[in-house]
Structures are given as structure tokens and as C-alpha cells.
Amino acid sequence: MSEFKALLVSEEQGDYVRRVVTRQLAELPVGEVLIRVHWSSLNYKDAMSASGNKGVTRSYPHTPGIDAAGVVESSSVAELAVGDEVIVTGYDLGMNTPGGFGQYIRVPAAWVLKRPAGLTLRESMVLGTAGLTAALCIDKLERAGLTPGSGPVLVTGATGGVGSIAVAMLAHQGHEVVAVTGKADRVDFLRGLGAKEVLSREELQAGTGKVLLGERWAGAVDTVGGDILFNVVKSLRYDASVACCGLTAGGQFQASVFPFILRNVNLLGVDSVEQPLVAKASMWDRLSLQWKTDLSQLEQEITLDALPDYIETILAGGMVGRAVVNLG
């Protein structure tokens, strides 16, 4: 088969137009592994790529999709054989390399991970980059001393992909989870994922001008950044940590050293894109075994043809949970 379907984003007179088109395998870049993609997932970075954000994707036309799960069709390396079920997340996939919103990708072998035995291809894409990021956040918090029973763990941006998975995973592991959202109509959704308490975004924004706030959180996963992040830092308990992985509320905040030198707290940065493959493999093993969590309440399955509408939804801030893309 030399033809396949893909979402193609084209720049046309200053606008970025998204269409499902037929492409040729010969149009894919040179790479060691050709993969027939069966599942992908929609992330905010994909929506930025699909709307012409040059900080994500430099040139168009382009096929986004930073996540892909499928079957090896051809391989020039011994470690990956035809028929192997594999996943690819991050690196340059979907950024400047044609991504998982196409039925085929061709990528370097160093990006490709064999599917963990405890997950199906579909389950791996319900998780995708969002699940991997949530796992990396929780892993860093654990290594900094967080354990179940330590106290309430805060999750900001809790209805988004990373946030909703973090809520479910932390609750599954026995933590007391407090979720933060700007969507007042999603309280029941978050409680269904395991949140013991749900706070409004406005509650977390109060006290921005203060150098310290009352000690509340034994740990936190922050997916939004901005002043909300530093308000979380200011309200961590002594020796506690927050793992930071997003910036939807802004890339800057007003900061002081007081929480760090008076309360011994930690601000932990988390990146899932350029993690070495061995580190990703370790997290995927945990996601497929001891951290495996029922995510059925937060996922919805969509088709390639539905992607343009869902991209508009996620850009407008209306996306809840995870959209897993069925590429057939």
C-alpha cells in the first residue's frame, strides 16, 4: 500500500487550513522504522501545531500528532521486527516530523518503544504524552518524599489531559487528591476520577501579592504555570514539592525566595518530550503494571475526520479528559 489518510495542515493566504487528505508513503521522511499507526491522541501541542504556531512547527504543510501507536511495517534495525506493536511519543514526532494524525509514520528507531505487555495499543494512546507526563510528575514527587498518607495533593488544570490522568492515578495510589479547575460544571467529573475536593481557579489565584500563604499541600502537580504555580509553591507544606509541566496560564510568575528558604520546598520541572528512551520505558512499565488505572471515565474515541472540530474545541479551552484517535 503506497497511499494513506492523514490530517494535513496547510498555510493558505495567512490562514491554517486542516483537511483529511490522501498522502503517499514516498512523502514521509527517511527513517529506520515504518509504522502503520492505528491509534493516536489529541494534545494541546497538536492543536498549536495545527493552528500555525511556529514555536511548535516551523514549516507547512504538516501532519501533527505527537503520539502514535501501531505496528511495524518495515525496519532496518534488528531490535524492531515487522509485526511488532510499538508506541512513539515526543521527540520531534508531530512537531517538524509528520506525526500520528496520519495512518503511517517513518521515524528513527531511537524514538520507538515496544508496547508494554500490560497495555493495549489503544490504552497506550488514552495515556499518550499526557499519561507519560503525569507519571513523570508523580515519580518526581515520590522521589522527593511524597507517599500516600502524607496529606492532600493538589492538581491544577485538573480537567485537562495531564491533570485528569494525574487525579485518577494519584487517587488510585491512595493519595488524598484536591483538584483545581476553571470549569464549574465538571466537579462531578473530577469527583468521579477520585478527587476528594474540588477548588475553583479563582481560589488558587487569591494571594498573588503575598510572599507566603498558609501551608496546605503535601505535594502538587501543576499543569498551568503562571501566578497559580507560584501560589502553589507559597502554600506547600514544609519540605514538600510541586512538579511543574505546563504553562496554559502563562510562562512567567512573580516569585520570591521566601518559600524556598523558609519552608525548604522544591519546584520540580518535568519534560516528557526529550526523555531518554530508557527513562520513557521505565515509566511505561509502571503505567502498565502497578500504576495501571481505569481511565474509561475520562476518554472518548474520535475519528481522523473529527479531528478538525476537536482541535477547535481544545484551542477554546473546552476539552475535558482525553480524545483517543482511531486511525483504522
Side-chain angles (χ1 to χ4, degrees):
M1 178 179 179
S2 61
E3 295 183 341
F4 65 97
K5 285 187 175 182
L7 179 75
L8 193 67
V9 182
S10 303
E11 187 174 3
E12 300 178 8
Q13 299 179 330
D15 291 329
Y16 290 87
V17 180
R18 308 167 195 127
R19 300 187 184 93
V20 176
V21 302
T22 298
R23 303 203 73 187
Q24 304 293 321
L25 288 180
E27 297 178 72
L28 293 175
V30 173
E32 296 159 314
V33 187
L34 178 69
I35 299 168
R36 170 59 165 93
V37 180
H38 291 282
W39 300 94
S40 184
S41 63
L42 177 60
N43 302 276
Y44 189 71
K45 185 180 282 187
D46 301 320
M48 290 193 292
S49 173
S51 54
N53 187 310
K54 294 298 178 72
V56 177
T57 300
R58 291 188 296 271
S59 62
Y60 296 82
H62 173 66
T63 295
I66 63 172
D67 293 337
V71 178
V72 173
E73 290 265 325
S74 67
S75 170
S76 63
V77 297
E79 299 90 340
L80 297 165
V82 172
D84 282 349
E85 294 192 350
V86 294
I87 57 177
V88 183
T89 63
Y91 304 116
D92 193 51
L93 185 72
M95 296 177 66
N96 298 291
T97 300
F101 294 166
Q103 291 176 319
Y104 282 87
I105 57 173
R106 188 182 285 122
V107 296
W111 295 3
V112 183
L113 186 69
K114 289 187 180 179
R115 174 185 59 80
L119 294 171
T120 65
L121 289 175
R122 187 185 187 282
E123 288 172 333
S124 72
M125 288 295 96
V126 174
L127 289 160
T129 288
L132 176 61
T133 304
L136 288 164
C137 287
I138 295 169
D139 178 66
K140 273 205 169 181
L141 291 173
E142 280 190 348
R143 286 191 279 127
L146 181 69
T147 59
S150 297
V153 181
L154 189 74
V155 179
T156 67
T159 60
V162 178
S164 58
I165 293 174
V167 169
M169 286 175 57
L170 286 163
H172 177 71
Q173 294 165 30
H175 292 279
E176 177 190 345
V177 183
V178 179
V180 183
T181 182
K183 299 179 174 71
D185 61 337
R186 295 298 179 176
V187 172
D188 289 343
F189 167 76
L190 291 169
R191 289 191 180 278
L193 295 180
K196 292 288 194 299
E197 185 179 357
V198 180
L199 303 180
S200 70
R201 183 187 300 151
E202 290 71 26
E203 290 178 80
L204 263 289
Q205 290 172 322
T208 300
K210 297 181 179 180
V211 295
L212 285 172
L213 296 170
E215 296 184 44
R216 300 184 69 181
W217 316 119
V221 174
D222 177 73
T223 73
V224 300
D227 287 329
I228 287 177
L229 168 59
F230 207 66
N231 270 9
V232 174
V233 172
K234 290 185 287 187
S235 53
L236 290 171
R237 293 182 180 180
Y238 189 88
D239 206 30
S241 304
V242 53
C244 164
C245 63
L247 45 66
T248 57
Q252 298 181 338
F253 51 73
Q254 295 296 317
S256 77
V257 300
F258 285 98
F260 302 105
I261 63 175
L262 296 180
R263 292 183 179 164
N264 204 46
V265 300
N266 305 294
L267 174 55
L268 309 172
V270 173
D271 165 66
S272 64
V273 178
E274 295 295 337
Q275 287 279 337
L277 197 63
V278 64
K280 290 187 178 183
S282 174
M283 286 300 101
W284 280 106
D285 282 344
R286 297 185 81 175
L287 286 165
S288 68
L289 297 169
Q290 69 264 43
W291 283 2
K292 188 168 185 181
T293 305
D294 180 6
L295 302 178
S296 57
Q297 293 184 73
L298 59 80
E299 57 98 349
Q300 54 188 309
E301 184 176 317
I302 66 173
T303 63
L304 193 59
D305 290 327
L307 264 175
D309 289 339
Y310 275 84
I311 287 167
E312 289 297 330
T313 299
I314 199 170
L315 287 170
M319 191 72 190
V320 174
R322 296 284 286 155
V324 58
V325 186
N326 186 344
L327 286 99

